[in-house]
Amino acid sequence: MSKAPDVYSAEPIPDAARAEIERLLQSGDLFRYTAEQDAPVTLLEQEFAQMMGSKYALAVASCSAALFLSLKALDLPRDAKVLIPAFTFAAVPSAVVHADCVPVLVEVGENYRVDLDDFAAKLTGDIKAIIISHMRGHTSDMDAIMAMADAAGVPVIEDAAHSLGTTWNGRNIGTIGAIGCFSFQSYKLLNAGEGGILITDDPDLAARAIIMSGAYEHAWKKHGDMAERCAHWQNKLPLYNQRLSNLSAAIIRPQLAEVPRRVRDGLSNHDYVANALNQCDNLDVPPPLKAEARAPDSIQFNLIGMDDAQAKAFAASAAERGVKVQIFGLSTDNARAFWNWQFLGDQPDLPRTRAMLMRACDVRLPARLTKDELDAVIAALVGASDAVAEPARAYGT
Ligand SMILES: *Cc1c(COP(=O)(O)O)cnc(C)c1O
């Protein structure tokens, strides 16, 4: 049996990036608004919008910046309440706070998806916007969410940071709400170290976000057919300067062609491991929703019939076998456990989300892993479960 694989290293950046980076280093042309046309950032926006089937794209410094600019583009009043899932990355409530808004946390179920009853109960008249995080690529029921949001007249921002390549009823994730936001941070499907992009079909949201991202004076003229809308907002909006560098765009552009392969291999790796873990009585990988075709680069599963001590022993045993398991609620200072978002002040408890976080495990599973490496991951996880959990007893013995 092969030993557990390295799941942290990134894939190499495609060779095609090198010539373009060399050209940029030679010319020193790193700022997106210097060239008259066809700057790498501009080309990335055009290519990404086309890939996603959306009208406008704006590349920015991070997905956090994209979320912040999305909220700002919606022109929400100060202290506006924004619904967010209680299971997300700390960047999401942080972006809400950054935009001078107040997050309201919605319960998330043991399948990592928004609890629709709690969502409906909390979608009250004072909610001005909704952010849905497709956390680790798990898609909440977007049909139900959009129906409730549309009925209430509340705009939805999709945090698809870690969901590129996922589809819902055949539609690209990030194109369902008013705005979709993606990340190019190294742990996401497209890796530039840092970076993000937002997409929308709404020309006014796009124009406002373009100006606030830092298209100062008349730089917005380099955003193609957005000129008229941008002219309307000239000098009326703050400039937050959250632009992307040409170097980052040059690193991302040749990776766009890799997306279908990464999605295909990531999903087949995930499903292979999920199937094996589901044979084990103490491990459960929740199934995808019917409308969802996933693009995972990690696997999440719940520990069944284990107490806190057994859950910790499971993680320790898996680590000894070479596989690092993070239990969201049991690892110290985890940025995805809502009780660690102390910057929000006192929050009501969310028992359902809390119970899920205490048993939900997270294991990286990059698309590049081979079958032998996947088998080694499976052996470590099943071995750790067998070592710490009560063996499932047959009745009558
Ligand atoms: C990574 C991530 C973010 C933040 O992305 P950055 O580009 O690092 O700002 C936000 N939400 C989710 C769900 C993420 O996975």
Side-chain angles (χ1 to χ4, degrees), residues 81-85 104-106 119 122-123 127 129-132:
K81 290 188 176 163
V82 178
L83 272 191
I84 67 168
V104 175
L105 275 47
V106 178
F119 180 88
K122 286 178 174 155
L123 184 54
I127 298 294
I130 297 162
I131 298 180
I132 297 295

Side-chain angles (χ1 to χ4, degrees), residues 281-352:
D281 286 346
N282 300 100
L283 307 178
D284 181 55
V285 184
L289 299 187
K290 259 210 186 73
E292 188 185 10
R294 302 197 55 223
D297 60 5
S298 64
I299 189 164
Q300 289 71 45
F301 55 94
N302 296 323
L303 302 177
I304 306 298
M306 293 191 203
D307 60 20
D308 281 3
Q310 286 169 309
K312 283 182 179 159
F314 168 78
S317 176
E320 274 169 27
R321 294 158 204 265
V323 173
K324 183 157 183 257
V325 176
Q326 181 166 249
I327 303 172
F328 294 104
L330 287 174
S331 70
T332 312
D333 297 330
N334 193 298
R336 300 149 204 89
F338 63 85
W339 53 88
N340 289 327
W341 306 337
Q342 291 170 20
F343 54 88
L344 295 183
D346 284 343
Q347 292 289 314
D349 195 24
L350 296 143
R352 201 167 173 208

Side-chain angles (χ1 to χ4, degrees), residues 42-276:
T42 305
L43 296 174
L44 169 65
E45 288 170 345
Q46 290 166 1
E47 291 159 357
F48 197 87
Q50 197 190 14
M51 178 176 90
M52 300 303 288
S54 48
K55 288 198 180 124
Y56 312 105
L58 173 67
V60 290
S62 65
C63 182
S64 297
L67 291 167
F68 164 77
L69 290 167
S70 299
L71 291 166
K72 284 291 177 192
L74 288 170
D75 198 18
L76 306 176
R78 181 171 280 274
D79 293 332
K81 290 188 176 163
V82 178
L83 272 191
I84 67 168
F87 177 45
T88 183
F89 186 52
V92 174
S94 303
V96 176
V97 171
H98 188 192
D100 296 318
C101 297
V102 178
V104 175
L105 275 47
V106 178
E107 288 265 40
V108 169
E110 45 289 317
N111 66 353
Y112 321 127
R113 291 162 175 90
V114 168
D115 176 327
L116 294 176
D117 290 336
D118 199 47
F119 180 88
K122 286 178 174 155
L123 184 54
T124 50
D126 55 350
I127 298 294
K128 300 291 186 236
I130 297 162
I131 298 180
I132 297 295
S133 276
H134 304 300
M135 191 53 179
R136 289 287 191 274
H138 298 285
T139 313
S140 293
D141 184 341
M142 290 306 288
D143 294 342
I145 286 169
M146 291 309 297
M148 286 189 262
D150 288 346
V154 178
V156 173
I157 298 167
E158 288 180 79
D159 165 19
H162 211 150
S163 242
L164 182 60
T166 302
T167 60
W168 177 261
N169 285 325
R171 198 162 156 185
N172 283 321
I173 230 53
T175 66
I176 299 170
I179 308 182
C181 300
F182 298 84
S183 175
F184 301 134
Q185 187 266 344
S186 286
Y187 294 157
K188 316 299 161 102
L189 200 79
L190 296 171
N191 165 25
E194 303 284 0
I197 197 163
L198 67 82
I199 54 174
T200 183
D201 284 346
D202 182 319
D204 253 316
L205 290 178
R208 291 171 55 83
I210 286 168
I211 290 190
M212 286 189 280
S213 75
Y216 63 94
E217 294 168 351
H218 295 151
W220 45 259
K221 288 184 178 161
K222 292 174 180 168
H223 285 270
D225 58 3
M226 289 307 300
E228 201 187 315
R229 297 283 180 156
C230 288
H232 172 77
W233 294 106
Q234 180 79 56
N235 300 343
K236 296 192 181 78
L237 297 168
L239 304 165
Y240 293 107
N241 286 7
Q242 296 180 323
R243 297 171 301 250
L244 192 74
S245 147
N246 278 341
L247 271 181
S248 302
I251 288 171
I252 298 161
R253 288 182 61 220
Q255 293 179 57
L256 295 177
E258 305 281 315
V259 169
R261 177 195 50 88
R262 290 181 186 172
V263 169
R264 188 188 61 232
D265 292 353
L267 181 62
S268 81
N269 286 355
H270 173 279
D271 289 354
Y272 180 73
V273 175
N275 186 48

